[in-house]
Amino acid sequence: MITEKLYKHYMQCLLEGDRAQCFKIVKELLEKDVPIHDLYLGLFQKSLYEVGELWENNRISVAVEHMATSITESLLTLAYPRIFAAEHNGRKAVISCIANEFHQIGGKMVADFFELNGWDGYFLGANTPASEMMDIIHHKQPDMLALSLSIYFNMNSLYQILELIKKAHPGLKVIVGGQAFQWGGRDISSRFPGVEYVASIYHLEALLESYEPA
């Protein structure tokens, strides 16, 4: 349903900062019952990856990159009536970015897919201090913890928080993902048994479908 022509039009509007037109495109897709997977992966994720590549190649400014990210984040809310209408199963997940990670939209999208699959997703946002994350884990007692990492140079910070988590909650299922892992770290389970790298939303959903409490 999301044709290449529509995608290119949306991408142009996104780069121009035309929030109203982006809103209109997404709203019309939802009115046509576009699958949430197509919307999130074929429009939001695809366009943000392209924006990131344009910025890395100095074809757009950081201001334009921030503007496109901000618009996309605001558009996620349009899908919430469908996402939160899913029947819930009583399972809970905490989803967070680690300290010094300021790219939160990937984590927010992951939290939405937990909700879409019947879980209660508690999203903590960007740059979450380790101590405060631990407090939330203790309070919520989640079935699963998902950590998002977009900057590879923050991998050591991820290792540090995983050390704390595995010591305090050895039985907690932990998954990690994000753009940082394209540069390395996908063998994280060899360093932290019980921690699993999740490569995609489809991988996540397969994991949720087969999940069995410890």
Side-chain angles (χ1 to χ4, degrees), residues 31-58:
E31 289 172 349
K32 294 176 182 177
D33 289 326
V34 64
I36 296 297
H37 292 76
D38 291 355
L39 182 65
Y40 270 54
L41 305 181
L43 194 68
F44 297 153
Q45 185 184 78
K46 182 179 178 181
S47 61
L48 286 178
Y49 282 178
E50 185 173 350
V51 166
E53 290 175 2
L54 290 171
W55 174 76
E56 288 174 0
N57 292 308
N58 295 315

Side-chain angles (χ1 to χ4, degrees), residues 69-192:
T69 301
S70 175
I71 290 173
T72 306
E73 192 165 358
S74 69
L75 294 173
L76 297 180
T77 61
L78 295 177
Y80 284 178
R82 283 171 58 182
I83 288 172
F84 289 103
E87 183 176 350
H88 279 213
N89 55 30
R91 292 172 179 163
K92 298 179 290 185
V94 169
I95 305 97
S96 184
C97 304
I98 64 172
N100 300 316
E101 273 287 332
F102 296 93
H103 295 78
Q104 70 171 21
I105 195 165
K108 183 174 285 189
M109 291 172 68
V110 167
D112 290 349
F113 274 96
F114 270 102
E115 294 283 350
L116 190 62
N117 284 270
W119 289 54
D120 293 319
Y122 299 96
F123 179 59
L124 308 188
N127 191 30
T128 302
S131 60
E132 296 184 18
M133 187 190 302
M134 296 298 288
D135 287 344
I136 292 293
I137 293 171
H138 178 74
H139 176 64
K140 295 296 183 183
Q141 293 293 306
D143 298 278
M144 192 177 295
L145 172 68
L147 298 176
S148 175
L149 190 70
S150 60
I151 306 298
Y152 181 70
F153 294 111
N154 287 334
M155 193 65 71
N156 283 335
S157 296
L158 174 64
Y159 293 158
Q160 290 170 13
I161 185 64
L162 287 175
E163 293 276 8
L164 293 174
I165 291 165
K166 299 311 288 185
K167 183 177 180 180
H169 303 277
L172 177 61
K173 175 66 178 178
V174 181
I175 62 174
V176 298
Q179 284 291 88
F181 290 91
Q182 67 177 319
W183 307 109
R186 284 172 284 185
D187 60 345
I188 196 164
S189 59
S190 64
R191 182 165 182 166
F192 296 94

